[in-house]
Amino acid sequence: MLAKVISAAVIGLEAVPIEVEVDIAAQGLPSFTIVGLPDKAVEEAKERVRSAIRNSGADFPAKRITVNLAPADLPKEGPSYDLPIALGILIASGQLNRDIASSVFTGELSLDGRVRPVNGALVQTIMAKEKKFKEIFLPSDNTTEAAIVKNVDIYPLSSLKSLFFHLSGQKLLEKIEPIDFENLSLTHVFDYDMKDVKGQQQTKRALEIAAAGGHNILLKGPPGAGKTLLARTLPSILPSLTFEEMMEVTKIYSISGLLKKDIAINKRPFRAPHHTTSLIGLIGGGTNPRPGEITLAHRGVLFLDEFPEFPRSVLESLRQPIEDNVVSISRAKGKTTFPAKCMLVAAQNPCPCGYLGDNTHDCSCAPSQIIRYQKKVSGPLLDRIDIHVHVPAVKVEKLTEDKEIIEASESIRSRVQLARNKQQKRYKDTAIASNAELNNKSIKEFCALSEDCLTLLRTAVAKFNLSGRSYYRVIKLSRTIADLEDTEDIAPKHIAEALQYRPKQEA
């Protein structure tokens, strides 16, 4: 007898339906075969399914069982096919009789028949809705994230036995009520606040501009100046995620297995990988490509501390994602594209000892050491960073002074949010979300410059030897500074401030 059960496979950030066909032959020696490009985890489903069916009180047929995962040319990975395979065997063996053509099933089985959570439940539920399936059966631990999808019935499963009772009509499961994703609480508690940072007014201003426009920023200064602390306060001044951005980020964390028990990711991600992170760990990849740190930081911040200590090959791999805001991973089995619209925040010392140019300490590095250290980060990569800011050591008087009035993150964030709202209104008919995403064509459309601004830019290009990329990045930065001032037109003073954040020597 032949049974067909619908499941789903996660490809990139999307899910596609998979038809699990189970055939139990009347003749032939007992065997259990799975075909359709299964990986090791799918192959091992045979033992999990066999034990789960028996320990759930059902009979496992001692016949020739063939399972086909269609389409057969699409690689299948992970344990999420355990449940549909087990269900297919129960139907094909005649132990269960139910029309399930309009249902989707996914879940990993333990040996005692319990249903374990799987990755990508959210995108599988979205697929079920888009493909007009009426219901989806998921592990109980995955139903919270799936409940933000409306217009599809979601049933939580604790065990294979509970599914059997539901489909046979003995004990029906209660479907999950949908959660209104748009009304989720946006009240966040941050570990770091700008009011806790003494001094560093210029750096705080640079971080505010970076947050307002989504610009990349490099913090350069001696050890102990507060570069890492300042970078970690950045999430506290970032604007709130829009509904579309929350869905994007939640889908990424769902397929990566990082959603845990959260309903959704409703604040901007902050990823800070160690400098020993591999290229695949940072960019993503693998035999069946998975998102890397730059994709996990999508719509948020990717913080690279000790910037020059990362392997050069890893740093150079950032050049294309920073420019295009996507990561394209090509393998023999196909091509996968992950989003990578994140702010790159990097921190580094000026030399190996860290005290080059510092007034309080003498630099102990040889000139050759300094040159070798600074060349670890290439010119083309530095050229893609909009804001370069020097973070000086804070004087002890500043650290012990209690009278200084320091602005809190909440106040700064309100200005940043107003600037982002202005950008969303300006780019509402485009795919652009912030000024940092403007390309050369859109810069000409949205960043009109007066003759005075053009004169200043021509002078700066000649004096500082700016590249073409730097020229356009200065204009984008000027647009953000003007948005923070709530002015429609870019003025020469905005250009002048943007030029201050370019490095003195361009590569």
Side-chain angles (χ1 to χ4, degrees), residues 279-299:
L279 190 149
I280 290 178
L282 188 65
I283 299 299
T287 305
N288 296 301
R290 289 293 185 188
E293 289 290 338
I294 195 169
T295 299
L296 294 172
H298 180 61
R299 300 296 183 185

Side-chain angles (χ1 to χ4, degrees), residues 41 115 142 176 262 274 300 308 343 362 368 394 460 469-470 472 489 503:
V115 181
N142 289 128
I176 298 296
D262 296 330
H274 192 259
M343 290 175 58
D362 292 328
S368 59
V394 183
R469 183 185 292 112
S470 294
Y472 285 111
D489 299 325

